Amino acid sequence: MELKRVVITGIGTINPLGNNVNDFFDNLISGVSGAGLITYFDTTNFKTKFACEVKNYNPADYFDRKEVRKHDLYSQFGMIAADQAIEDAGISKESADPFRIGVVWASGIGGIRTFFDEVKGFIEGGGIPRFSPFFVPKMIADICAGYISIKHGFCGPNYATVSACASSTHALIEAMNHIRRGRAIIMVAGGSESAINEAGVGGFNSMQALSINNDNYRTASRPFDKNRDGFVIGEGAAGLILEEYEHAKARGAKIYAEVMGGGMSADAYHLTAPHPEGLGAASVMQTALDDSNLKTADIDYINVHGTSTPLGDIAELKAIQKVFGEHVSKINISSTKSMTGHLLGAAGALEALACICAIKNQIIPPTINFETPDEEIDYEQLNLTLNKAQSCKVNTTLSNTFGFGGHNAAIILKKLD
């Protein structure tokens, strides 16, 4: 069958670098660190005392008091980002048949804050079951997709994708495919996460996944640096409006980029560690290229998963070198997690926005906090856009996301011809 073209006509975000797209793009290009000491709970007994929290957030600015009681923070962030994107695109349920406007919204963990608080209250209350009637709806990972559709009257495909840190890239690919195959005209896609609480930080600490560089917390997220010691947890959301190209053109919509294709694969190797040679990562990038009918020479920028972990960064770079060969020296590479921290299930959608920023401004956002070279990395062959943004031609971008369980997803965005 002939596949429909898919474009992005609306974007929105709330994240550690900004509570809207413009602030996010400005801080991304400027190389601002979103890291700070954790304010949500007492970190005295925790190995990690810092994170990338959303700044200056007051739920009363977005929701009335009754609504706040119904939404875990991850859902609040998701609805805010989705609302921004919907407004930016200028769409409503009247824009098309509402049964052909859908939502695929991701979260790797869902309402972990709600789960922790409710169970803590149960234990501290002597085992008396006084759970909130909103406990289960606030906790489940699909509820944000449901809330978005209910608020806006979108009756098309509606569900969540859950694949750890690859979740929202999977959401974008799923949304793209619904439109490609003619099953939808408009899709709201993205992801949200808020796991900066005792359970989230403590759990990742026990896995030795988080940085414990408390003395240098603002620069602790340092992908490709020899002294990297784990990721910095972040929170927030990013939303994108995907739309069938002819429909967008007919209504005079602004178009940020075309969604060319995506890839999905599995490492089938280890619960949390990447394949040491990056086999799954190489496979997913090649699949995304094939799905997009593009060649390696077409890619100008790769926004890498780049979490600042000792094993992950090396495996991903090996995969990139394997796939792109000699052309790799002509590509800009950067990890925007050095600024935003790792938004877990929301990372893919946020990094798709970073790719749109690069296309829109013809500037590659940097990998900040680099100080000490790692002897396992070839910095001469690999342009890792270290510490400072670089102005250059950016037509086509590739974004990688990899999740615990060996889940890999990659998506390609291109400046509209």
Side-chain angles (χ1 to χ4, degrees):
M1 64 181 295
E2 183 179 352
L3 298 178
K4 307 287 188 182
R5 293 175 70 184
V6 182
V7 293
I8 295 170
T9 57
I11 52 179
T13 189
I14 177 168
N15 69 72
L17 296 189
N19 295 355
N20 56 70
V21 168
N22 288 336
D23 288 348
F24 171 54
F25 282 6
D26 288 346
N27 287 325
L28 198 69
I29 292 169
S30 300
V32 173
S33 170
L37 295 174
I38 291 171
T39 65
Y40 289 135
F41 63 94
D42 182 358
T43 62
T44 299
N45 296 320
F46 287 77
K47 294 179 182 178
T48 296
K49 305 180 185 302
F50 60 95
C52 289
E53 296 179 350
V54 169
K55 315 294 189 300
N56 303 314
Y57 177 66
N58 182 358
D61 293 338
Y62 303 93
F63 307 97
D64 65 36
R65 188 165 54 86
K66 290 183 179 179
E67 281 186 301
V68 172
R69 293 178 58 235
K70 298 178 182 179
H71 303 306
D72 184 88
L73 193 54
Y74 103 90
S75 286
Q76 294 178 33
F77 289 156
M79 294 178 71
I80 291 165
D83 285 354
Q84 288 179 13
I86 290 164
E87 181 179 1
D88 184 44
I91 62 167
S92 66
K93 63 182 179 181
E94 287 77 32
S95 298
D97 178 354
F99 286 91
R100 300 189 71 193
I101 307 176
V103 182
V104 186
W105 199 268
S107 183
I109 299 178
I112 189 172
R113 297 169 66 96
T114 292
F115 185 86
F116 177 81
D117 290 344
E118 291 284 337
V119 172
K120 181 182 177 184
F122 171 69
I123 294 170
E124 292 178 347
I128 298 172
R130 294 195 179 104
F131 292 100
S132 165
F134 299 113
F135 174 26
V136 173
K138 286 174 70 174
M139 176 191 68
I140 53 181
D142 67 301
I143 200 66
C144 191
Y147 276 129
I148 293 166
S149 69
I150 292 167
K151 179 175 182 177
H152 296 280
F154 299 153
C155 301
N158 186 277
Y159 56 101
T161 51
V162 180
S163 51
C165 304
S167 296
S168 54
T169 302
H170 278 125
L172 296 176
I173 294 170
E174 287 288 291
M176 171 193 72
N177 284 330
H178 281 297
I179 296 171
R180 271 182 164 183
R181 296 165 184 163
R183 296 172 182 167
I185 292 174
I186 297 169
M187 294 292 296
V188 183
S192 52
E193 205 81 85
S194 182
I196 306 173
N197 73 336
E198 294 92 330
V201 173
F204 282 120
N205 267 158
S206 71
M207 296 171 63
Q208 299 181 14
L210 291 183
S211 170
I212 56 173
N213 191 355
N214 296 300
D215 292 336
N216 302 289
Y217 60 84
R218 291 197 184 279
T219 61
S221 183
R222 48 180 68 188
F224 319 127
D225 187 284
K226 182 177 181 177
N227 297 317
R228 63 193 183 279
D229 71 328
F231 73 81
V232 177
I233 191 170
E235 65 176 356
L240 297 88
I241 306 302
L242 281 67
E243 188 168 351
E244 193 273 319
Y245 170 64
E246 294 297 338
H247 185 269
K249 187 170 70 170
R251 72 180 186 88
K254 64 177 177 294
I255 295 174
Y256 290 100
E258 182 168 5
V259 187
M260 301 302 295
M264 297 179 276
S265 76
D267 276 7
Y269 172 73
H270 188 271
L271 190 65
T272 58
H275 190 285
E277 298 302 316
L279 296 188
S283 172
V284 81
M285 287 185 278
Q286 188 60 59
T287 302
L289 287 166
D290 294 344
D291 189 51
S292 303
N293 293 315
L294 294 172
K295 300 176 181 178
T296 56
D298 295 318
I299 301 299
D300 302 308
Y301 169 51
I302 302 175
N303 186 295
V304 291
H305 189 55
T307 55
S308 186
T309 56
L311 296 178
D313 290 4
I314 297 296
E316 185 172 11
L317 293 181
K318 285 182 178 179
I320 290 170
Q321 289 172 301
K322 179 178 180 180
V323 172
F324 289 90
E326 293 182 0
H327 180 66
V328 75
S329 62
K330 299 179 175 66
I331 299 173
N332 273 84
I333 297 167
S334 75
S335 172
T336 49
K337 288 185 179 74
S338 60
M339 295 175 274
T340 65
H342 191 351
L343 269 67
L344 309 177
L350 187 63
E351 287 153 21
L353 289 192
C355 289
I356 290 172
C357 176
I359 291 170
K360 180 176 183 288
N361 296 291
Q362 296 291 286
I363 295 175
I364 306 295
T367 305
I368 67 168
N369 303 327
F370 178 81
E371 295 176 350
T372 308
D374 184 332
E375 56 271 10
E376 293 191 62
I377 297 175
D378 185 347
Y379 299 95
E380 291 187 7
Q381 186 187 44
L382 297 164
N383 181 358
L384 301 175
T385 322
L386 298 173
N387 294 328
K388 188 176 180 181
Q390 294 180 16
S391 297
C392 61
K393 182 194 78 171
V394 189
N395 285 334
T396 309
T397 67
L398 168 68
S399 178
N400 289 334
T401 45
F402 314 134
F404 287 167
H407 311 297
N408 306 311
I411 195 163
I412 294 176
L413 306 181
K414 185 176 184 292
K415 185 177 181 180
L416 188 70
D417 291 333

